[in-house]
């Protein structure tokens, strides 16, 4: 059977599940954000894991891992009764407990076929990925991590235009109740740099690419399903197309990456041991295909819908095929 | 525009030209709108697909160079197309249409004190993957009864519900808004035979509520006019191969008859004696699903053919299975409604 580990609100997963049932197969879905309130038991003595009173160790050969950010917001009644500093400490320790809780689930079902293995995903980060990409012959943006104003000025000299990016991930910051601030990619200018102190908090800077269009490519075990996104006509999305323009969505069309680019990216994905992911690329005006990043648990719904790739069915078929294969190998 | 001489002009893949007998349309199925163009322009766009701008102009003996430039500029300005050196990297949009549902939409006639088991009907629909339901109430249902029905509809795969109710005193705006606010899957409520025409929609409600003085009967269905053309990817693709109204549709009438739509006489057994799944897998039941717009007389030459409902219950000539829908006044030849 197929086991799906995902967030309860993941609608794309529901659509894949509809296909799995339509094709006549069974699945079990575990909402990782409900590990606390969803009746989860791990019996260490006999390696049995169960969720909602169903075993998720027996009869499972294929696991689709869709991540899920946090184990859900659990209200700790005790925290309301103690002082703020202490409650912060307890909160942090509970956070680690929750993280390990999730890991306990993955560790105990590891001897299966994964799409993709969470332990593998955990090893990756933006910087190491860029280095691996370069090793695989993939073009990457000229990048610099520094805390020095002088280094930054030299870098600007070399590239004329720069952007700054979070080293880790784009975060949702809940600054005010009604205003959500998301850390997008932004351009930085000479006057901005001149105002900086001689040293500052280390940040990731990259050359600003002269985009012809962006490419979002969904990768599944050697196959690429790509979409070109034209965002230049619209200043709102010029630097980062995640600043969606909802009234007039960016023109997005099916795209076929040149074969040599697919080959190198395939090598990169195999090196990282990722069977699937969402790859971001920029096609520059001077013809470069520049790799930006890969999201191992990328959203595929938009690429699938706009380009009519029907990825939901393709993923369902993939899971079924590999589940059967793994079962055969076992027996 | 000399720099475009050796480039190819393409429409964005979601902007799809469709030729009619007297003029053509570009269906923009990403932004869901439609642009009418002369047939000559359609031909130019098609010719441009495998020619550079230079070659294209030559094909027209270089007599229209300026017009072609202006025309492409306009399409670029309106974000319908673009120039590229690598047209092969921009494949066309696949127009395939696939669905993980055996039934995607249903019309259920409902009356209070019926002997039908609505719970079982909705659960069967859910198993078949039905995502949208139209509830046609008859008689004078109480608010409690409607709530009871909506609760029975509360199933995982049913995501949108529309309701048609004959006006009664209990259907004042307060009651109706209450129903809508408690049932977020309801996206449309039509109250017919009302005392006045009005439309209520606001940001606090998912549903749009319409009161109309018209009396709605089954025979009111199937109207096609300029105002109710629908441009979207799903309908465009589905109608390439399937009937745009009846594909994957099922109807259950007041007394449990299973039909393609309420306006047909032909019934396929009754829900009291047959499982829905059996009734709808009958090849006869699915026959009409496969009648495409491209098969219908007159419609097949109409530039709107992938944006209207292909009514099969009311046609100009009931003896001809490919006859044009009766309630459409459009004439593609003269381009008048
Ligand atoms: S076939 Fe005609 S009458 Fe029947 S549901 Fe469709 S539009 Fe209405
Ligand atoms: S003529 Fe046919 S295709 Fe054209 S709008 Fe009328 S019903 Fe639709």
């Amino acid at each position: 059977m197929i086991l799906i580990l995902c967030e309860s609100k993941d609608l794309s997963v529901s659509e894949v599940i509809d296909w799995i049932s339509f094709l006549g197969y069974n699945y079990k879905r575990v909402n990782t954000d409900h590990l606390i309130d969803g009746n989860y038991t791990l019996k260490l003595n006999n390696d049995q894991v169960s969720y909602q009173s169903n075993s998720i160790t027996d009869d499972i050969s294929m696991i689709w891992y869709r991540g899920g950010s946090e184990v859900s917001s659990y209200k700790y009644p005790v925290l309301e009764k103690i002082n703020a500093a202490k409650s912060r400490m307890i909160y942090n320790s509970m956070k680690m407990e929750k993280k390990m809780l999730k890991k306990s689930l993955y560790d105990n079902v590891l001897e299966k076929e994964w799409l993709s293995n969470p332990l593998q995903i955990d090893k990756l980060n933006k910087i190491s990925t860029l280095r691996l990409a370069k090793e695989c012959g993939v073009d990457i943006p000229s990048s610099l991590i520094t805390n020095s104003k002088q280094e930054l000025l030299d870098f600007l000299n070399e590239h004329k235009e720069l952007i700054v990016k979070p080293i880790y991930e784009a975060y949702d910051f809940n600054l005010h109740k009604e205003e959500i601030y998301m850390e997008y990619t932004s351009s930085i200018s000479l006057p901005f740099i001149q105002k900086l102190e001689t040293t500052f908090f280390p940040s990731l800077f990259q050359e600003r690419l002269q985009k012809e269009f962006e490419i979002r490519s969904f990768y599944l075990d050697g196959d690429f399903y790509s979409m070109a996104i034209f965002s230049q006509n619209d200043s709102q999305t010029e630097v980062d197309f995640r600043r969606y323009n909802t009234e007039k969505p960016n023109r997005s069309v099916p795209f076929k990456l040149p074969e040599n680019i697919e080959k190198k990216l395939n090598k990169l994905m195999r090196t990282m041991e990722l069977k699937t992911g969402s790859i971001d690329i920029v096609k520059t005006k001077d013809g470069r295909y520049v790799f930006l990043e890969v999201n191992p648990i990328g959203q595929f719904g938009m690429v699938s819908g706009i380009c009519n790739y029907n990825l939901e069915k393709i993923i369902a078929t993939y899971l079924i095929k590999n589940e059967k294969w793994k079962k055969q190998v076992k027996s | 525009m000399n720099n475009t001489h050796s480039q190819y002009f393409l429409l964005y893949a979601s902007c799809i030209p469709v030729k009619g007998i007297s003029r053509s349309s570009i269906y923009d199925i990403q932004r869901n709108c439609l642009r009418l163009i002369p047939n000559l322009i359609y031909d130019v766009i098609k010719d441009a697909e495998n020619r550079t701008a230079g070659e294209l102009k030559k094909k027209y003996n270089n007599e229209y160079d300026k017009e072609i430039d202006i025309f492409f500029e306009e399409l670029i300005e309106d974000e319908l197309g673009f120039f590229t050196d690598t047209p092969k990297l921009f494949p066309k949009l696949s127009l395939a249409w696939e669905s993980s549902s055996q039934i995607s939409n249903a019309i259920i006639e409902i009356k209070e004190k019926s002997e039908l088991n609505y719970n079982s009907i909705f659960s069967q629909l859910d198993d078949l993957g039905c995502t949208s339901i139209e509830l046609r109430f008859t008689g004078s249902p109480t608010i409690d009864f409607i709530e009871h029905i909506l609760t029975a509809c509360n199933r995982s795969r049913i995501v949108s519900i529309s309701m048609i109710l004959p006006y009664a005193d209990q259907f004042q705006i307060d009651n109706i808004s209450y129903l809508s606010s408690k049932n977020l899957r309801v996206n449309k409520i039509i109250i017919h035979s009302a005392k006045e025409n009005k439309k209520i929609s606001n940001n606090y409600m998912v549903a749009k509520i319409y009161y109309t003085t018209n009396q709605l009967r089954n025979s009111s269905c199937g109207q096609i006019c300029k105002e109710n053309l629908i441009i979207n990817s799903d309908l465009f693709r589905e109608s390439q191969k399937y009937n745009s109204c009846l594909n994957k549709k099922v109807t259950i009438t007041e007394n449990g008859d299973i039909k393609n739509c309420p306006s047909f006489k032909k019934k396929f057994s009754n829900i009291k004696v047959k499982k829905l799944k059996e009734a709808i897998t009958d090849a006869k039941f699915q026959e009409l699903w496969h009648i495409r717009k491209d098969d219908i007389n007159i419609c097949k030459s109409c530039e709107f053919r992938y944006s209207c409902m292909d009514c099969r219950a009311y046609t100009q000539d009931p003896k001809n299975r490919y006859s044009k829908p009766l309630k459409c006044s459009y004439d593609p030849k003269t381009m008048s409604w």
Side-chain angles (χ1 to χ4, degrees), chain A residues 33-212:
Chain A
D33 45 342
H34 287 166
L35 282 185
I36 291 180
D37 51 10
N39 196 352
Y40 166 68
T41 308
L42 163 62
K43 290 190 183 138
L44 283 170
N45 296 344
N46 60 0
D47 275 346
Q48 281 293 320
V49 185
S50 72
Y51 177 73
Q52 312 287 47
S53 322
N54 290 313
S55 163
I56 49 173
T57 23
D58 295 347
D59 200 29
I60 300 280
S61 3
M62 175 80 213
I63 308 174
W64 185 27
Y65 174 70
R66 289 286 302 159
S69 44
E70 270 265 334
V71 177
S72 75
S73 49
Y74 180 72
K75 288 247 178 339
Y76 310 101
V78 64
L79 295 192
E80 282 156 26
K81 297 195 193 105
I82 47 183
N83 74 48
K86 274 208 181 115
S87 106
R88 187 86 223 145
M89 268 163 57
I90 295 178
Y91 179 83
N92 285 338
S93 113
M94 292 305 281
K95 213 166 147 181
M96 283 313 287
E97 287 290 306
K98 286 200 282 187
K99 204 168 154 193
M100 285 303 137
L101 175 69
K102 242 164 82 175
K103 204 158 166 294
S104 74
L105 169 62
Y106 309 148
D107 282 352
N108 279 280
V109 286
L110 265 180
E111 292 298 306
K112 322 273 174 184
E113 184 74 15
W114 284 88
L115 179 74
S116 303
N117 192 326
L119 299 182
Q120 203 54 41
I121 293 173
D122 273 354
K123 283 190 209 151
L124 302 172
N125 69 63
K126 200 183 275 177
I127 308 301
S128 67
T129 303
L130 282 173
R131 285 176 52 183
L132 279 178
K134 202 159 166 63
E135 277 168 29
C136 295
V138 175
D139 197 351
I140 60 165
S142 183
S143 308
L144 175 81
I145 296 178
T146 188
N147 62 352
S148 142
K149 183 176 183 175
Q150 192 49 50
E151 290 282 349
L152 183 56
L153 282 168
D154 294 347
F155 194 56
L156 179 72
N157 236 333
E158 200 181 322
H159 292 289
K160 306 296 168 276
E161 279 183 82
L162 299 182
I163 56 167
V164 59
K165 268 184 161 180
I167 300 178
Y168 182 43
E169 262 169 22
Y171 260 125
D172 278 324
F173 291 113
N174 258 313
L175 282 187
H176 305 287
K177 268 201 186 87
E178 51 293 310
E179 178 191 344
I180 293 178
Y181 172 77
M182 176 118 168
E183 208 181 296
Y184 293 105
T185 304
S186 22
S187 282
I188 54 167
S189 58
L190 186 60
F192 174 84
I193 299 175
Q194 277 160 347
K195 268 187 254 149
L196 292 173
E197 309 279 329
T198 35
T199 61
F200 45 83
F201 192 84
S203 307
L204 169 61
F205 302 94
Q206 289 181 330
E207 63 174 315
R208 180 170 171 183
L209 301 163
Q210 296 302 320
K211 264 187 240 182
E212 188 184 340

Side-chain angles (χ1 to χ4, degrees), chain B residues 233-251:
Chain B
S233 176
D234 219 40
L235 180 64
F236 187 90
R237 290 182 291 108
E238 187 176 10
S239 44
Q240 304 291 317
K241 282 233 175 91
Y242 303 98
N243 187 270
S244 48
C245 180
L246 297 170
N247 188 35
K248 302 207 180 224
K249 185 194 259 2
V250 70
T251 290

Side-chain angles (χ1 to χ4, degrees), chain A residues 15 18-19 22 213 228 230 233 248-258 289 306-308 310 313, chain B residues 12-15 28 30-31 79-80 82 88-96 98-102 157 237:
Chain A
E15 285 178 43
D18 290 344
W19 275 109
F22 183 81
F213 48 83
F230 293 80
N233 293 358
K248 226 175 162 205
N250 288 319
R251 278 297 175 203
S252 307
V253 297
F255 187 73
K256 176 82 184 78
L257 282 167
Y289 288 86
I306 292 180
C307 300
N308 195 24
N310 206 352
K313 186 181 178 189
Chain B
Y12 290 109
S14 54
C15 299
D28 180 346
Q30 191 193 358
R31 294 181 180 164
E79 294 189 50
L80 292 168
F82 63 106
K88 288 210 170 63
L89 299 182
F90 291 97
K92 290 209 162 138
L93 192 76
S94 152
L95 294 183
E98 288 190 277
S99 160
S100 57
S101 307
Q102 288 173 276
R157 291 202 64 181
R237 290 182 291 108

Side-chain angles (χ1 to χ4, degrees), chain B residues 150-186:
Chain B
L150 288 175
T151 314
C153 274
N154 198 349
R155 299 186 185 260
S156 62
R157 291 202 64 181
I158 299 169
V159 289
S160 86
I161 300 170
S162 64
M163 295 201 292
I164 300 180
L165 299 156
Y167 181 84
D169 284 339
Q170 66 268 33
F171 300 149
Q172 299 307 323
I173 294 172
D174 288 354
N175 283 340
I176 294 295
S177 327
Y178 162 80
L179 275 179
S180 131
S181 64
K182 276 192 71 180
N183 301 278
L184 298 177
R185 296 172 202 226
V186 177

